[in-house]
């Protein structure tokens, strides 16, 4: 059974490599190039580069780096005229668009033999996967999730008991706040009516902004990482109920005793899907190996190490991962998909959303 993938009908478009994919020719040319450096935000990149090296007999090194550090590195190398990074796998869409793609420091490449397998809206820039974060509860404390509407998380009952990354330190969340307002505001307003039995009346600019401010004012438990969220919510010895939002990768910890379960009935969304771009640096001195690696990422063999974390590949021919621990594939129709068409607005509004969050949390 193929995995379920949802894609938006809008997309960005940037200059991209366009050529017929010839594996043998690329490999022959790559054998004369320096070792490949691939940067991703997950340590799984080391498994992927090792698999690539074994397959092609080329030297490839994987480096783990979060998006801000990766972007600073690429910008600095380009300015110095000493490009070392070759392939970037990056999930901070607004920053990648504003700081890498728009100024031409990186380009998108879709191998021609993969065109039919990748939905048109995510071909340029090439999105290789969507990474889910989901509302989560403790399955040892509750048979089902105790909350079915996100507005409940703004009620006094849940004050201080919602675990989430700090939006001031993780801009993916301020990006999502803007996505909520631009693309899902009617759903937020409807969820309010469903929860309270009356229409939303607010002086905020949108229903989404009203929810963000109300959540911030309810003093959620702000954490530094998804691991911290998982520990707060799903610790096997927990006696107090917390809800949280976190990566489905944390559900692997259920094998070690954690008690994490998806809030599958949460309205208006169960979680969000964040795209990951695969980009090639414009100044790479290993362009053929870089093309081969991007192709490798789009294969089941190449993507396998990350599939177990619940990340959904955009290649629609891939089989679903039977032992993915969260079961997120079963709620894909309730997950919000990131709309890359408004990434520039997300980038430009980050400070505004940070201010809204900070002031509301301070009671202003």
């Amino acid at each position: 059974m193929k995995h379920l993938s949802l894609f938006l009908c809008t997309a960005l478009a940037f200059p991209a490599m366009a050529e017929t994919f010839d594996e043998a020719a690329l490999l022959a040319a790559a054998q004369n190039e320096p070792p490949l450096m691939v940067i991703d935000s997950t340590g799984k990149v080391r498994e992927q580069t090792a698999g690539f090296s074994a397959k092609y007999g080329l030297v490839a090194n994987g480096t783990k780096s979060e998006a801000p550090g990766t972007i600073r590195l690429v910008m600095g190398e380009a300015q110095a005229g000493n490009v070392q990074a070759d392939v970037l796998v990056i999930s901070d869409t607004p920053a990648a668009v504003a700081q890498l793609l728009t100024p031409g420091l990186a380009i998108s490449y879709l191998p021609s033999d993969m065109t039919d397998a990748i939905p048109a809206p995510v071909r340029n820039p090439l999105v290789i996967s969507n990474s889910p974060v989901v509302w989560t509860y403790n399955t040892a404390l509750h048979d089902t999730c105790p909350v079915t509407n996100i507005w409940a998380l703004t009620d006094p009952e849940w004050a201080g008991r919602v675990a989430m990354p700090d939006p001031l330190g993780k801009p993916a969340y301020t990006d999502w706040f803007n996505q909520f307002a631009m693309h899902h505001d009617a759903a937020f307003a409807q969820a309010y009516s469903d929860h309270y039995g009356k229409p939303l009346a607010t002086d905020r600019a949108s229903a989404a902004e009203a929810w963000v401010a109300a959540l911030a004012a309810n003093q959620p438990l702000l954490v530094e990482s998804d691991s911290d969220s998982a520990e707060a919510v799903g610790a096997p010895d927990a006696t107090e109920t917390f809800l949280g939002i976190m990566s489905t990768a944390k559900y692997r910890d259920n094998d070690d005793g954690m008690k994490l379960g998806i809030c599958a009935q949460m309205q208006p969304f169960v979680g969000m899907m964040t795209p990951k771009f695969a980009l090639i640096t414009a100044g790479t001195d290993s362009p053929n190996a870089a093309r081969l690696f991007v192709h490798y990422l789009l294969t089941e063999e190449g993507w396998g190490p990350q599939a177990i974390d619940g990340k959904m590949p955009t290649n629609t021919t891939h089989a679903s991962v039977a032992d993915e621990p969260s079961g997120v594939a079963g709620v894909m129709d309730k997950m919000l998909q990131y709309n890359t068409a408004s990434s520039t607005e997300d980038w430009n509004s980050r400070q505004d959303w940070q201010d809204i969050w900070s002031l509301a949390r301070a009671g202003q």
Side-chain angles (χ1 to χ4, degrees), residues 286-334:
S286 300
N288 297 289
R291 288 170 171 83
L292 272 180
F293 189 81
V294 171
H295 184 273
Y296 180 72
L297 283 181
L298 293 173
T299 66
E300 287 199 75
E301 176 187 359
W303 188 248
Q306 294 201 37
I308 193 62
D309 291 344
K311 296 181 177 70
M312 296 294 180
T314 56
N315 187 331
T316 56
T317 67
H318 285 195
S320 59
V321 179
D323 55 353
E324 189 280 312
S326 75
V328 68
V331 294
M332 285 302 297
D333 59 334
K334 301 175 183 178

CSV table of all heavy atoms in Angstrom, one decimal, residues 286-334:
chain,number,residue,atom,x,y,z
A,286,SER,N,31.6,19.5,-6.7
A,286,SER,CA,31.2,18.1,-6.9
A,286,SER,C,29.8,18.1,-7.5
A,286,SER,O,28.9,17.4,-6.9
A,286,SER,CB,31.3,17.3,-5.6
A,286,SER,OG,32.6,17.3,-5.1
A,287,PRO,N,29.6,18.7,-8.6
A,287,PRO,CA,28.2,18.8,-9.1
A,287,PRO,C,27.6,17.5,-9.5
A,287,PRO,O,26.4,17.3,-9.4
A,287,PRO,CB,28.3,19.8,-10.2
A,287,PRO,CG,29.7,19.7,-10.7
A,287,PRO,CD,30.5,19.4,-9.4
A,288,ASN,N,28.4,16.6,-10.0
A,288,ASN,CA,27.9,15.3,-10.5
A,288,ASN,C,27.6,14.4,-9.3
A,288,ASN,O,26.5,13.8,-9.3
A,288,ASN,CB,28.9,14.7,-11.5
A,288,ASN,CG,29.1,15.5,-12.7
A,288,ASN,OD1,28.3,15.6,-13.6
A,288,ASN,ND2,30.3,16.2,-12.8
A,289,ALA,N,28.4,14.4,-8.4
A,289,ALA,CA,28.1,13.6,-7.2
A,289,ALA,C,26.9,14.1,-6.4
A,289,ALA,O,26.1,13.4,-5.9
A,289,ALA,CB,29.3,13.6,-6.2
A,290,ALA,N,26.8,15.5,-6.4
A,290,ALA,CA,25.6,16.1,-5.8
A,290,ALA,C,24.3,15.7,-6.5
A,290,ALA,O,23.3,15.4,-5.8
A,290,ALA,CB,25.8,17.6,-5.8
A,291,ARG,N,24.3,15.7,-7.8
A,291,ARG,CA,23.1,15.2,-8.5
A,291,ARG,C,22.8,13.7,-8.2
A,291,ARG,O,21.7,13.4,-8.0
A,291,ARG,CB,23.4,15.3,-10.0
A,291,ARG,CG,23.4,16.8,-10.6
A,291,ARG,CD,23.9,16.7,-12.0
A,291,ARG,NE,23.7,18.0,-12.7
A,291,ARG,CZ,24.6,19.0,-12.7
A,291,ARG,NH1,25.7,18.8,-11.9
A,291,ARG,NH2,24.5,20.1,-13.4
A,292,LEU,N,23.9,12.9,-8.2
A,292,LEU,CA,23.6,11.5,-7.8
A,292,LEU,C,23.0,11.4,-6.4
A,292,LEU,O,22.2,10.5,-6.2
A,292,LEU,CB,25.0,10.8,-7.9
A,292,LEU,CG,25.4,10.1,-9.2
A,292,LEU,CD1,26.8,9.4,-9.0
A,292,LEU,CD2,24.4,9.1,-9.7
A,293,PHE,N,23.5,12.2,-5.5
A,293,PHE,CA,23.0,12.1,-4.1
A,293,PHE,C,21.6,12.5,-4.0
A,293,PHE,O,20.8,11.9,-3.3
A,293,PHE,CB,23.9,12.9,-3.1
A,293,PHE,CG,23.5,12.6,-1.7
A,293,PHE,CD1,24.0,11.5,-1.1
A,293,PHE,CD2,22.7,13.4,-1.0
A,293,PHE,CE1,23.7,11.2,0.2
A,293,PHE,CE2,22.3,13.2,0.3
A,293,PHE,CZ,22.8,12.0,0.9
A,294,VAL,N,21.2,13.6,-4.7
A,294,VAL,CA,19.8,14.0,-4.7
A,294,VAL,C,18.9,12.9,-5.2
A,294,VAL,O,17.9,12.6,-4.7
A,294,VAL,CB,19.6,15.3,-5.5
A,294,VAL,CG1,18.1,15.6,-5.6
A,294,VAL,CG2,20.3,16.5,-4.7
A,295,HIS,N,19.4,12.3,-6.3
A,295,HIS,CA,18.6,11.1,-6.8
A,295,HIS,C,18.5,10.0,-5.8
A,295,HIS,O,17.4,9.4,-5.6
A,295,HIS,CB,19.3,10.6,-8.1
A,295,HIS,CG,18.5,9.5,-8.8
A,295,HIS,ND1,18.7,8.2,-8.5
A,295,HIS,CD2,17.6,9.6,-9.8
A,295,HIS,CE1,17.9,7.5,-9.3
A,295,HIS,NE2,17.2,8.3,-10.1
A,296,TYR,N,19.6,9.7,-5.2
A,296,TYR,CA,19.6,8.7,-4.1
A,296,TYR,C,18.6,9.0,-3.0
A,296,TYR,O,17.9,8.1,-2.5
A,296,TYR,CB,21.1,8.6,-3.6
A,296,TYR,CG,21.3,7.5,-2.5
A,296,TYR,CD1,21.2,6.1,-2.8
A,296,TYR,CD2,21.5,7.9,-1.2
A,296,TYR,CE1,21.5,5.2,-1.8
A,296,TYR,CE2,21.7,6.9,-0.2
A,296,TYR,CZ,21.7,5.6,-0.5
A,296,TYR,OH,21.9,4.6,0.4
A,297,LEU,N,18.5,10.2,-2.6
A,297,LEU,CA,17.6,10.6,-1.6
A,297,LEU,C,16.1,10.3,-2.0
A,297,LEU,O,15.3,10.1,-1.1
A,297,LEU,CB,17.7,12.1,-1.2
A,297,LEU,CG,18.9,12.5,-0.4
A,297,LEU,CD1,18.8,14.0,-0.2
A,297,LEU,CD2,18.9,11.8,1.0
A,298,LEU,N,15.9,10.3,-3.3
A,298,LEU,CA,14.5,10.1,-3.7
A,298,LEU,C,14.1,8.7,-3.9
A,298,LEU,O,13.0,8.3,-4.2
A,298,LEU,CB,14.3,10.9,-5.1
A,298,LEU,CG,14.3,12.4,-5.0
A,298,LEU,CD1,14.3,13.0,-6.4
A,298,LEU,CD2,13.2,12.9,-4.1
A,299,THR,N,15.1,7.8,-3.7
A,299,THR,CA,14.9,6.3,-3.8
A,299,THR,C,14.5,5.8,-2.4
A,299,THR,O,14.8,6.4,-1.4
A,299,THR,CB,16.1,5.6,-4.3
A,299,THR,OG1,17.1,5.7,-3.3
A,299,THR,CG2,16.6,6.1,-5.7
A,300,GLU,N,13.8,4.7,-2.4
A,300,GLU,CA,13.5,4.1,-1.1
A,300,GLU,C,14.7,3.7,-0.3
A,300,GLU,O,14.7,3.8,0.9
A,300,GLU,CB,12.6,2.8,-1.3
A,300,GLU,CG,11.2,3.2,-1.7
A,300,GLU,CD,10.2,2.0,-1.5
A,300,GLU,OE1,9.9,1.8,-0.3
A,300,GLU,OE2,9.8,1.4,-2.5
A,301,GLU,N,15.7,3.2,-1.0
A,301,GLU,CA,17.0,2.9,-0.3
A,301,GLU,C,17.6,4.1,0.4
A,301,GLU,O,18.0,4.1,1.5
A,301,GLU,CB,18.0,2.3,-1.3
A,301,GLU,CG,19.3,2.0,-0.7
A,301,GLU,CD,20.4,1.6,-1.8
A,301,GLU,OE1,20.0,1.5,-3.0
A,301,GLU,OE2,21.5,1.3,-1.4
A,302,GLY,N,17.6,5.2,-0.4
A,302,GLY,CA,18.3,6.4,0.1
A,302,GLY,C,17.5,7.1,1.2
A,302,GLY,O,18.0,7.6,2.2
A,303,TRP,N,16.1,7.0,1.1
A,303,TRP,CA,15.3,7.7,2.1
A,303,TRP,C,15.1,6.8,3.4
A,303,TRP,O,14.7,7.3,4.4
A,303,TRP,CB,14.0,8.1,1.5
A,303,TRP,CG,13.2,9.0,2.5
A,303,TRP,CD1,12.0,8.7,3.1
A,303,TRP,CD2,13.6,10.2,3.0
A,303,TRP,NE1,11.7,9.7,4.0
A,303,TRP,CE2,12.6,10.7,3.9
A,303,TRP,CE3,14.7,11.1,2.7
A,303,TRP,CZ2,12.7,11.9,4.6
A,303,TRP,CZ3,14.8,12.3,3.4
A,303,TRP,CH2,13.8,12.7,4.3
A,304,GLY,N,15.3,5.5,3.3
A,304,GLY,CA,15.0,4.6,4.3
A,304,GLY,C,15.4,5.0,5.7
A,304,GLY,O,14.5,4.9,6.7
A,305,PRO,N,16.6,5.5,6.0
A,305,PRO,CA,17.0,5.8,7.4
A,305,PRO,C,16.1,6.9,8.0
A,305,PRO,O,16.0,6.9,9.2
A,305,PRO,CB,18.4,6.3,7.2
A,305,PRO,CG,18.9,5.6,6.0
A,305,PRO,CD,17.7,5.5,5.1
A,306,GLN,N,15.5,7.8,7.2
A,306,GLN,CA,14.6,8.8,7.8
A,306,GLN,C,13.1,8.4,7.8
A,306,GLN,O,12.3,9.0,8.5
A,306,GLN,CB,14.8,10.1,7.0
A,306,GLN,CG,16.2,10.7,7.2
A,306,GLN,CD,16.2,12.2,6.9
A,306,GLN,OE1,15.3,12.9,7.3
A,306,GLN,NE2,17.3,12.7,6.3
A,307,ALA,N,12.8,7.4,7.0
A,307,ALA,CA,11.4,7.0,6.9
A,307,ALA,C,10.8,6.5,8.2
A,307,ALA,O,9.6,6.7,8.6
A,307,ALA,CB,11.2,5.9,5.8
A,308,ILE,N,11.7,5.9,9.0
A,308,ILE,CA,11.2,5.3,10.3
A,308,ILE,C,10.8,6.4,11.3
A,308,ILE,O,10.1,6.1,12.3
A,308,ILE,CB,12.3,4.4,10.9
A,308,ILE,CG1,11.8,3.6,12.1
A,308,ILE,CG2,13.5,5.3,11.4
A,308,ILE,CD1,10.7,2.6,11.6
A,309,ASP,N,11.2,7.6,11.1
A,309,ASP,CA,10.8,8.8,11.9
A,309,ASP,C,9.5,9.3,11.6
A,309,ASP,O,9.0,10.3,12.2
A,309,ASP,CB,11.9,9.9,11.8
A,309,ASP,CG,13.2,9.5,12.4
A,309,ASP,OD1,13.2,8.5,13.2
A,309,ASP,OD2,14.2,10.2,12.2
A,310,GLY,N,8.8,8.7,10.6
A,310,GLY,CA,7.5,9.2,10.3
A,310,GLY,C,7.5,10.3,9.2
A,310,GLY,O,6.4,10.8,8.8
A,311,LYS,N,8.7,10.7,8.7
A,311,LYS,CA,8.8,11.6,7.6
A,311,LYS,C,8.2,11.0,6.4
A,311,LYS,O,8.5,9.9,6.0
A,311,LYS,CB,10.2,12.1,7.4
A,311,LYS,CG,10.8,12.8,8.6
A,311,LYS,CD,12.3,13.2,8.3
A,311,LYS,CE,12.9,14.0,9.5
A,311,LYS,NZ,13.1,13.1,10.6
A,312,MET,N,7.4,11.8,5.7
A,312,MET,CA,6.7,11.3,4.5
A,312,MET,C,7.4,11.8,3.2
A,312,MET,O,7.5,12.9,2.9
A,312,MET,CB,5.2,11.9,4.5
A,312,MET,CG,4.4,11.4,5.6
A,312,MET,SD,4.1,9.6,5.6
A,312,MET,CE,3.1,9.3,7.0
A,313,PRO,N,7.9,10.8,2.5
A,313,PRO,CA,8.6,11.2,1.2
A,313,PRO,C,7.7,11.7,0.2
A,313,PRO,O,6.5,11.3,0.1
A,313,PRO,CB,9.3,9.9,0.8
A,313,PRO,CG,8.4,8.8,1.4
A,313,PRO,CD,7.9,9.4,2.7
A,314,THR,N,8.1,12.6,-0.6
A,314,THR,CA,7.2,13.1,-1.7
A,314,THR,C,7.2,12.2,-2.9
A,314,THR,O,6.3,12.3,-3.7
A,314,THR,CB,7.7,14.5,-2.2
A,314,THR,OG1,9.1,14.4,-2.6
A,314,THR,CG2,7.6,15.5,-1.0
A,315,ASN,N,8.1,11.2,-2.9
A,315,ASN,CA,8.1,10.2,-4.0
A,315,ASN,C,6.9,9.3,-3.8
A,315,ASN,O,6.8,8.5,-2.8
A,315,ASN,CB,9.4,9.4,-4.0
A,315,ASN,CG,9.4,8.5,-5.2
A,315,ASN,OD1,8.4,8.0,-5.7
A,315,ASN,ND2,10.6,8.2,-5.7
A,316,THR,N,5.9,9.4,-4.6
A,316,THR,CA,4.6,8.8,-4.4
A,316,THR,C,4.7,7.3,-4.7
A,316,THR,O,3.7,6.5,-4.4
A,316,THR,CB,3.5,9.4,-5.2
A,316,THR,OG1,3.9,9.3,-6.6
A,316,THR,CG2,3.2,10.8,-4.8
A,317,THR,N,5.8,6.8,-5.2
A,317,THR,CA,5.9,5.3,-5.4
A,317,THR,C,6.5,4.6,-4.2
A,317,THR,O,6.5,3.4,-4.2
A,317,THR,CB,6.9,5.1,-6.6
A,317,THR,OG1,8.2,5.5,-6.3
A,317,THR,CG2,6.4,5.9,-7.8
A,318,HIS,N,6.9,5.3,-3.2
A,318,HIS,CA,7.4,4.6,-2.0
A,318,HIS,C,6.3,3.9,-1.2
A,318,HIS,O,5.2,4.4,-1.1
A,318,HIS,CB,8.1,5.6,-1.1
A,318,HIS,CG,9.4,6.1,-1.6
A,318,HIS,ND1,10.3,6.8,-0.7
A,318,HIS,CD2,10.0,6.1,-2.8
A,318,HIS,CE1,11.4,7.1,-1.4
A,318,HIS,NE2,11.2,6.7,-2.7
A,319,ALA,N,6.6,2.8,-0.7
A,319,ALA,CA,5.7,2.1,0.2
A,319,ALA,C,5.7,2.7,1.5
A,319,ALA,O,6.7,3.3,2.0
A,319,ALA,CB,6.1,0.6,0.3
A,320,SER,N,4.6,2.6,2.2
A,320,SER,CA,4.5,3.1,3.6
A,320,SER,C,5.4,2.2,4.5
A,320,SER,O,5.7,1.1,4.2
A,320,SER,CB,3.1,3.1,4.1
A,320,SER,OG,2.6,1.8,4.1
A,321,VAL,N,5.9,2.8,5.6
A,321,VAL,CA,6.7,2.1,6.5
A,321,VAL,C,5.8,1.4,7.6
A,321,VAL,O,5.2,2.1,8.4
A,321,VAL,CB,7.7,3.1,7.2
A,321,VAL,CG1,8.6,2.3,8.2
A,321,VAL,CG2,8.6,3.8,6.2
A,322,ALA,N,5.8,0.1,7.5
A,322,ALA,CA,4.9,-0.6,8.4
A,322,ALA,C,5.1,-0.5,9.8
A,322,ALA,O,4.2,-0.5,10.7
A,322,ALA,CB,4.9,-2.1,8.0
A,323,ASP,N,6.4,-0.3,10.2
A,323,ASP,CA,6.7,-0.3,11.7
A,323,ASP,C,7.0,1.1,12.1
A,323,ASP,O,7.6,1.3,13.2
A,323,ASP,CB,7.9,-1.2,12.0
A,323,ASP,CG,9.1,-0.9,11.2
A,323,ASP,OD1,9.0,-0.1,10.2
A,323,ASP,OD2,10.2,-1.5,11.4
A,324,GLU,N,6.6,2.2,11.4
A,324,GLU,CA,6.7,3.5,11.9
A,324,GLU,C,5.9,3.7,13.2
A,324,GLU,O,4.7,3.4,13.2
A,324,GLU,CB,6.3,4.5,10.8
A,324,GLU,CG,6.6,6.0,11.1
A,324,GLU,CD,5.6,6.6,12.1
A,324,GLU,OE1,4.3,6.4,11.9
A,324,GLU,OE2,6.0,7.2,13.1
A,325,PRO,N,6.5,4.1,14.3
A,325,PRO,CA,5.8,3.9,15.6
A,325,PRO,C,4.6,4.8,15.9
A,325,PRO,O,3.8,4.5,16.7
A,325,PRO,CB,6.9,4.1,16.6
A,325,PRO,CG,7.9,5.0,15.9
A,325,PRO,CD,7.8,4.6,14.4
A,326,SER,N,4.5,6.0,15.3
A,326,SER,CA,3.5,6.9,15.7
A,326,SER,C,2.1,6.6,15.1
A,326,SER,O,1.1,6.9,15.6
A,326,SER,CB,3.9,8.3,15.3
A,326,SER,OG,3.8,8.6,13.9
A,327,GLY,N,2.1,6.0,13.9
A,327,GLY,CA,0.9,5.8,13.1
A,327,GLY,C,0.4,7.0,12.5
A,327,GLY,O,-0.8,7.1,12.1
A,328,VAL,N,1.2,8.0,12.2
A,328,VAL,CA,0.8,9.2,11.6
A,328,VAL,C,0.2,9.1,10.2
A,328,VAL,O,-0.7,9.9,9.8
A,328,VAL,CB,2.0,10.3,11.6
A,328,VAL,CG1,3.0,9.8,10.6
A,328,VAL,CG2,1.5,11.7,11.2
A,329,ALA,N,0.6,8.0,9.5
A,329,ALA,CA,0.0,7.8,8.2
A,329,ALA,C,-1.5,7.7,8.2
A,329,ALA,O,-2.2,8.0,7.3
A,329,ALA,CB,0.6,6.5,7.6
A,330,GLY,N,-2.0,7.2,9.4
A,330,GLY,CA,-3.5,7.1,9.5
A,330,GLY,C,-4.3,8.3,9.8
A,330,GLY,O,-5.5,8.3,9.7
A,331,VAL,N,-3.5,9.5,10.0
A,331,VAL,CA,-4.2,10.7,10.2
A,331,VAL,C,-3.8,11.8,9.3
A,331,VAL,O,-3.9,13.0,9.5
A,331,VAL,CB,-4.0,11.2,11.7
A,331,VAL,CG1,-4.7,10.3,12.7
A,331,VAL,CG2,-2.6,11.4,12.0
A,332,MET,N,-3.2,11.4,8.1
A,332,MET,CA,-2.7,12.4,7.2
A,332,MET,C,-3.7,13.3,6.7
A,332,MET,O,-3.4,14.5,6.3
A,332,MET,CB,-2.0,11.6,6.0
A,332,MET,CG,-0.6,11.1,6.4
A,332,MET,SD,0.6,12.3,7.0
A,332,MET,CE,0.7,13.3,5.6
A,333,ASP,N,-5.0,12.9,6.6
A,333,ASP,CA,-6.0,13.8,6.1
A,333,ASP,C,-6.4,14.9,7.1
A,333,ASP,O,-7.1,15.8,6.8
A,333,ASP,CB,-7.3,13.0,5.7
A,333,ASP,CG,-7.8,12.2,6.9
A,333,ASP,OD1,-7.1,11.9,7.8
A,333,ASP,OD2,-9.0,11.9,6.9
A,334,LYS,N,-5.8,14.8,8.4
A,334,LYS,CA,-6.1,15.8,9.4
A,334,LYS,C,-4.8,16.6,9.7
A,334,LYS,O,-4.8,17.4,10.7
A,334,LYS,CB,-6.6,15.1,10.7
A,334,LYS,CG,-7.8,14.3,10.5
A,334,LYS,CD,-8.2,13.5,11.7
A,334,LYS,CE,-9.4,12.6,11.5
A,334,LYS,NZ,-9.7,11.9,12.8
